[in-house]
């Protein structure tokens, strides 16, 4: 039962379920092949949204996910939608999960399938959030992506002269 699951994280990006470190398992093929099906279940989505909002209650956070800017924090000050060429995404995923038995084409197929399922799901479908800044990361290294996002935030902050997180929907 979902209510009995204890999900914790720390600021080293480690995630624990019932005190078991699952950080390295989240990108495995077995998870990737099933995440769209599980995340389409409304009770699962509702519980995860509540958990994510609770995490941000007393913290300034950076979160990534397919519904963070649309469902979890629709009033966030900053929303970014990162995109990239499908082949680049597949190569990145293979590097990220070196234990994957996929080749580049099967990884491309897996990503396309997940994107399609997530775009068509009834609850919290994958869409670009209102007000999101779209960044094509195809030709960018991770450090360049971070630098671009930080520069956008600094520019906006400079004009507003304040920093607020609107983490309540």
């Amino acid at each position: 039962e979902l209510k009995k699951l204890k999900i914790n994280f720390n600021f080293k990006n480690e995630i624990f379920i019932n005190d078991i470190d699952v950080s390295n398992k989240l990108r495995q093929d077995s998870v990737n092949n099933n995440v769209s099906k599980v995340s389409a279940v409304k009770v699962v989505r509702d519980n995860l949204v509540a958990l994510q909002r609770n995490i941000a209650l007393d913290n300034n956070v950076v979160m990534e996910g397919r519904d963070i800017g649309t469902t979890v924090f629709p009033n966030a000050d900053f929303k970014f939608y990162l995109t990239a060429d499908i082949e680049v995404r597949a190569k990145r995923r293979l590097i990220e999960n070196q234990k994957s038995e996929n080749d580049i084409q099967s990884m491309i197929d897996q990503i396309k399938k997940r994107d399609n399922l997530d775009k068509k799901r009834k609850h919290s479908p994958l869409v670009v959030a209102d007000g999101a800044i779209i960044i094509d990361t195809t030709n960018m290294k991770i450090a360049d992506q971070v630098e671009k996002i930080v520069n956008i935030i600094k520019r906006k902050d400079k004009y507003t002269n304040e920093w607020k997180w609107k983490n309540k929907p």
Side-chain angles (χ1 to χ4, degrees):
E1 184 177 305
L2 278 175
K3 299 275 185 208
K4 293 180 182 175
L5 282 179
K6 185 173 122 189
I7 302 173
N8 295 317
F9 75 99
N10 62 32
F11 290 100
K12 293 188 279 184
N13 287 326
E14 295 170 327
I15 299 173
F16 299 86
I17 298 178
N18 294 337
D19 299 319
I20 298 169
D21 185 353
V22 296
S23 310
N24 294 329
K25 297 179 181 181
L26 296 178
R27 300 285 188 197
Q28 289 181 347
D29 291 340
S30 58
V31 172
N32 283 320
N33 291 335
N34 293 293
V35 70
S36 288
K37 293 175 208 161
V38 174
S39 66
V41 177
K42 185 170 178 11
V43 68
V44 172
R45 293 215 75 74
D46 291 347
N47 276 275
L48 290 175
V49 167
L51 174 70
Q52 291 165 317
R53 287 178 179 163
N54 190 47
I55 288 168
L57 274 179
D58 298 317
N59 302 292
N60 287 333
V61 297
V62 174
M63 287 193 181
E64 65 97 11
R66 292 180 168 220
D67 68 345
I68 298 297
T70 56
T71 301
V72 183
F73 300 111
N75 297 320
D77 284 343
F78 299 98
K79 299 182 224 179
F80 298 94
Y81 184 91
L82 304 183
T83 186
D85 174 79
I86 189 75
E87 189 170 330
V88 170
R89 290 174 62 201
K91 287 178 183 175
R92 288 174 180 167
R93 182 58 58 90
L94 286 171
I95 290 167
E96 184 177 70
N97 185 5
Q98 295 182 4
K99 292 181 182 168
S100 174
E101 297 185 16
N102 286 316
D103 60 21
I104 190 72
Q105 188 55 53
S106 59
M107 184 59 75
I108 287 171
D109 294 343
Q110 187 182 87
I111 291 171
K112 283 182 179 178
K113 180 180 177 185
R114 180 173 176 200
D115 286 351
N116 190 45
L117 286 170
D118 289 351
K119 286 175 182 177
K120 291 181 178 180
R121 71 180 173 220
K122 182 177 180 180
H123 306 289
S124 302
L126 170 60
V127 296
V128 178
D130 288 341
I133 298 166
I134 299 170
I135 301 174
D136 185 337
T137 67
T138 300
N139 298 310
M140 299 172 76
K141 294 180 180 175
I142 188 74
D144 299 328
Q145 296 171 39
V146 171
E147 182 180 10
K148 184 173 184 79
I149 290 168
V150 168
N151 286 337
I152 290 168
I153 292 170
K154 283 180 178 178
R155 252 192 333 262
K156 181 150 186 175
D157 189 39
K158 183 174 150 185
Y159 294 117
T160 63
N161 234 359
E162 60 185 44
W163 184 263
K164 289 183 184 174
W165 284 98
K166 299 173 194 157
N167 54 10
K168 293 193 168 61

